[in-house]
Amino acid sequence: VTIVEFADFECPHCAEMRTILNEIIKTYPKDVEVIFKQFPLPHHTHASGAARAALAAERQSKFWQMHDMLFMNQGRLGPDKFSQFARELGLNVERFKKDMNDSALYGQIESDRKEAIQANITGTPAVYINGRMFMDGINKEKLHAMVKRMLAEAP
C-alpha cells in the first residue's frame, strides 16, 4: 500500500496526521510506504523554509528525522531553528545551509505544489491511499481500516 500525503509543516492537522501515519507504518512496516509531498500554504510564514529544510536534510539521508523534528517543533520554526535542528540531527550544517538555498529544492517544492493544485487540493493534509483520496479527515480508525482493506485487496 502506498500512501501519498500532501502536507505543510506549520499545519496543526498535518502534525496530527503524522502521528497516525507513523502508527500505520509501525503496524505494517513491510507493507506500507509513505510518500511525503511538500504543499506549504502561503499563510504559514515558515512552511516553505521548513519544506526546504526537510529536502536539504534528505540530501544527507535524514528526511524523516527532519520531518519529525519540524512537526515536533511546529510552534518555533524559523531559519535559525532549521540550522539548529540540522546540528541536532548530526548533519553537515554548512552543506545543509547551502542545500537550503539550492534552486532545485525550490523547483521540487513547486513541482509538488503544482501536482497538488492539479489534484484540486486546497488544504492540508491531503492523503491518497493507492491513488484514492482519503476523504474522512483526520480519523485514525477510518484511515487504519482503509489501509487494512487495501492490504487485503492487494494481490
Side-chain angles (χ1 to χ4, degrees), residues 66-152:
M66 180 63 81
H67 165 278
D68 290 347
M69 180 83 75
L70 292 165
F71 277 125
M72 287 186 294
N73 293 281
Q74 206 172 47
R76 53 189 203 110
L77 298 178
D80 292 343
K81 291 295 181 185
F82 301 144
S83 295
Q84 177 187 330
F85 300 156
R87 198 170 4 276
E88 289 176 25
L89 292 173
L91 299 179
N92 174 325
V93 178
E94 291 310 310
R95 179 177 166 202
F96 172 81
K97 287 179 182 178
K98 183 178 177 237
D99 287 342
M100 281 270 303
N101 294 309
D102 186 341
S103 63
L105 296 190
Y106 288 91
Q108 186 174 348
I109 293 165
E110 183 60 18
S111 176
D112 286 356
R113 190 183 74 75
K114 284 181 180 174
E115 187 179 340
I117 290 168
Q118 287 175 337
N120 295 313
I121 295 170
T122 57
T124 56
V127 174
Y128 288 82
I129 304 173
N130 284 357
R132 289 190 231 165
M133 187 170 204
F134 179 72
M135 303 292 288
D136 289 310
I138 303 164
N139 186 314
K140 178 177 156 179
E141 291 75 23
K142 288 186 178 184
L143 191 57
H144 274 272
M146 187 170 179
V147 168
K148 190 173 183 177
R149 188 170 60 254
M150 295 276 192
L151 285 169

Side-chain angles (χ1 to χ4, degrees), residues 35-49:
I35 298 170
F36 188 90
K37 299 278 188 166
Q38 308 291 340
F39 193 45
L41 300 173
H43 61 278
H44 286 150
T45 309
H46 301 293
S48 183

Side-chain angles (χ1 to χ4, degrees), residues 21-29:
L21 292 177
N22 282 348
E23 287 176 14
I24 288 172
I25 291 167
K26 285 178 184 166
T27 304
Y28 307 105

